[in-house]
Amino acid sequence: MRIVLDSVGLTYDRGLPTARSGLGGVSLSIGAGDAVAIMGPTGSGKTTLLEIAAGLVAPTTGSASLDEAEDGASLKSRVGLVYQFPELQFFEETVFDEVAYGLRAARIGEDEVVRRVHAALDRVRLKPSSFVERSPLTLSAGEQRRAAIAALVVLERPFLLLDEPSAGLDPRTRDRILELIHREREAGRAILLVTHDPELAEETVDRIVVLSSGSIVADGSPADVFGDAGLLERLGLEAPPAHELVNALSRRDPAVARDVASVVLGRPALRDGVSNDRF
Amino acid sequence: MIELRDVGVTFPGAARPSLDGVNLSIAAGETVALAGPSGSGKTSLLRLLNALLLPTTGSVSVDGMDTRDDASLWEIRRRVGLVFQNPDDQIVSTTVERELAFGMENLGLDRDEMRSRVETLLPMLGLEQLRDRPPHRLSGGEKQRVAVAAVLAMRPRHLLLDEPTSLLDARGRADLWALLAELRSREERTVIHVTQFPEEIAYADRAVVLVEGRVVFDAPPRELFAAGSGADGWGLRPPPAMGLAGALRTAGRPLPEDILTMDELIEALAGGTQ
Ligand SMILES: Nc1ncnc2c1ncn2[C@@H]1O[C@H](COP(=O)(O)OP(=O)(O)O)[C@@H](O)[C@H]1O
Ligand SMILES: Nc1ncnc2c1ncn2[C@@H]1O[C@H](COP(=O)(O)OP(=O)(O)O)[C@@H](O)[C@H]1O
Ligand SMILES: [Mg+2]
Ligand SMILES: [Mg+2]
């Protein structure tokens, strides 16, 4: 099964004086087991891209489809999107009902619902016994985020799309999100992750696609993208601290940069004027 | 001056208090970083300071005014500006420009003054192109900048920011910190910010850490990340520059012990070269 985006573009308010482009022509394909991060400045079209890939918004140009899938499967039924601030969409009275909502809508038996809701809460590290009865509105921000993610992972769809899942979380809760992404990957789910957190990207994906003004401007391994000091500088993006340090040093003193890279970077992954020949 | 005395907050029906025995006194002009795990009471504490939330026990005062005193409510809200953790909870207007004007109108500022503040703030926060757009249709980071601008427009004496950079990219974060530093250099302003970024804690004069509703640490950030402070147990990571400096020291590269920020580390490694 693959999500295939073929030159998708989206113009908001098409035909009106307020028309504006949310996304240019983007082509991208994501298959089972893939883990891809989308990075890019604010307003570059990341959320728009996720909404299209989840089948929630139809592109105004190009096409978004689910390929190599069984009959009747659609993007909507196979892709789960966790919105930025998913906790804003709470409407049930208890955490249990909130997480159970999608399962009940799919007419799954109540025994199975209970089992899966508890398992999903465990996976996001909210102890079921302490949380099932609580009103979602009284949870703290980090607890709400995890409950909202549970409401989606409980559906066990093969594609999991996450929009800024770690924004605003404390480091421990962020690590739980990281762990959760790892576990979902191990369970065979494909991940498409939008994040401003370069370490989260580095630790969870194999490929980073960089958007700027609605178009793809870079596509490579984390080491490639984070070693590209010029690209990061141009777009105002951040790399994980070790890369930031090496990139900053290579502008000041390439010899020092190489020496530091040999210590702080897992494997030499230097580009942009700093050669690898020392390693 | 902001004072909390023996403050406790227990929400209706809650089994335990969300804030418990909190004593804090923050002088005008101080910059305080408020940190702590999710659910530790940071947002509740900020809400106490502009009387959106009243203490269950103890008292909270702002420049001598008790937040429970209804007669002071307007003056407290005028002096204390709160940027909400989630911009959607704060934004009310139909265009970015009107959102900036909204709070100022409530303060009764005259048109010319309002216009001039709007014209200064829009470019400072990179919002010029967005001025006529409906805020609820902006991206998260754009909304967050609108929320900050709308509060800055009111020039509150005490500025409270609840994770104001959580949705911004690296440049947006750096720009916001530069702007806050500039505002502080021009006029005295208390800044209390909640953050999850160790480097943003390092910007403050003082770091306050909450754990399960209690203040467990209140001292300069440098001490927070010193060995044995307990920061790790409270789920706080040291700034990445400290970890990198440690790795380099272990690998035999001589470096000073007190490196806290990336700038300090770069200077120590490549100082003298340009
Ligand atoms: N509902 C909408 N109506 C009009 N413009 C929108 C809407 N949503 C987003 N946009 C615009 O589309 C562009 C891309 O937005 P978005 O995909 O949210 O960016 P990102 O997630 O990268 O910050 C931005 O310029 C944004 O202002
Ligand atoms: N309106 C409320 N009703 C009940 N409990 C609440 C309410 N607001 C917050 N809480 C609880 O108070 C605690 C502190 O929450 P909060 O101040 O939002 O923490 P933080 O900002 O540090 O994440 C949490 O356990 C949360 O569940
Ligand atoms: Mg977005
Ligand atoms: Mg909070």
Side-chain angles (χ1 to χ4, degrees), chain B residues 195-265:
Chain B
T195 183
Q196 301 296 347
F197 294 98
E199 299 218 302
E200 296 183 353
I201 299 177
Y203 286 127
D205 307 325
R206 179 172 165 192
V208 172
V209 179
L210 284 176
V211 173
E212 296 184 351
R214 295 178 159 273
V215 174
V216 296
F217 180 91
D218 183 358
R222 216 167 274 281
E223 293 172 31
L224 176 58
F225 298 115
S229 77
D232 198 45
W234 306 321
L236 292 171
R237 303 289 145 79
M242 275 184 77
L244 290 169
L248 287 161
R249 243 182 263 116
T250 307
R253 313 303 190 272
L255 280 171
E257 287 289 333
D258 63 347
I259 286 174
L260 199 59
T261 66
M262 205 57 115
D263 287 345
E264 290 167 4
L265 179 56

Side-chain angles (χ1 to χ4, degrees), chain A residues 13 20 41-42 84-85 88 140-142 167-172 175 196 233 236 238 241 248-249 252 259 263, chain B residues 38-39 85-86 88 133 137 139 142 163 166-167 169-171 173 196 232-233 235 237 240 253 262 266-267 270 273:
Chain A
D13 293 350
R20 50 181 298 111
T42 302
Q84 197 165 19
F85 286 126
L88 284 181
S140 78
L169 300 182
D170 65 88
R172 260 186 207 160
D175 286 354
H196 287 308
E233 173 72 28
E238 204 174 26
L249 287 171
R252 299 275 292 266
D259 177 52
V263 178
Chain B
S38 155
Q85 178 161 6
N86 181 346
D88 290 307
R133 304 264 308 277
R137 293 179 64 180
S139 77
E142 291 166 343
E163 308 197 23
S166 59
L167 300 176
D169 49 38
R171 180 166 294 164
R173 289 214 298 277
Q196 301 296 347
D232 198 45
R237 303 289 145 79
R253 313 303 190 272
M262 205 57 115
I266 292 166
E267 232 19 73
T273 55

Side-chain angles (χ1 to χ4, degrees), chain B residues 99-259:
Chain B
E99 183 65 28
L100 266 61
F102 177 77
M104 292 191 284
E105 277 166 5
N106 288 342
L107 296 181
L109 294 180
D110 71 57
R111 294 268 136 201
D112 289 346
E113 177 62 21
M114 282 174 41
R115 180 120 316 275
S116 111
R117 290 191 191 181
V118 168
E119 295 313 322
T120 328
L121 279 166
L122 286 174
M124 279 210 268
L125 282 142
L127 296 169
E128 267 167 315
Q129 309 293 317
L130 306 178
R131 64 191 305 155
D132 298 319
R133 304 264 308 277
H136 66 276
R137 293 179 64 180
L138 298 177
S139 77
E142 291 166 343
K143 277 187 207 169
Q144 196 155 42
R145 281 183 279 139
V146 172
V148 170
V151 171
L152 287 179
M154 295 187 278
R155 305 223 175 125
R157 179 178 305 185
H158 309 294
L159 177 63
L160 315 180
L161 302 141
D162 199 351
E163 308 197 23
T165 62
S166 59
L167 300 176
L168 301 181
D169 49 38
R171 180 166 294 164
R173 289 214 298 277
D175 287 352
L176 181 63
W177 287 108
L179 173 64
L180 292 175
E182 199 204 310
L183 290 177
R184 287 189 69 220
S185 71
R186 273 196 269 135
E187 53 196 294
E188 185 175 79
R189 194 188 303 270
T190 318
V191 178
I192 306 177
H193 66 274
V194 174
T195 183
Q196 301 296 347
F197 294 98
E199 299 218 302
E200 296 183 353
I201 299 177
Y203 286 127
D205 307 325
R206 179 172 165 192
V208 172
V209 179
L210 284 176
V211 173
E212 296 184 351
R214 295 178 159 273
V215 174
V216 296
F217 180 91
D218 183 358
R222 216 167 274 281
E223 293 172 31
L224 176 58
F225 298 115
S229 77
D232 198 45
W234 306 321
L236 292 171
R237 303 289 145 79
M242 275 184 77
L244 290 169
L248 287 161
R249 243 182 263 116
T250 307
R253 313 303 190 272
L255 280 171
E257 287 289 333
D258 63 347
I259 286 174

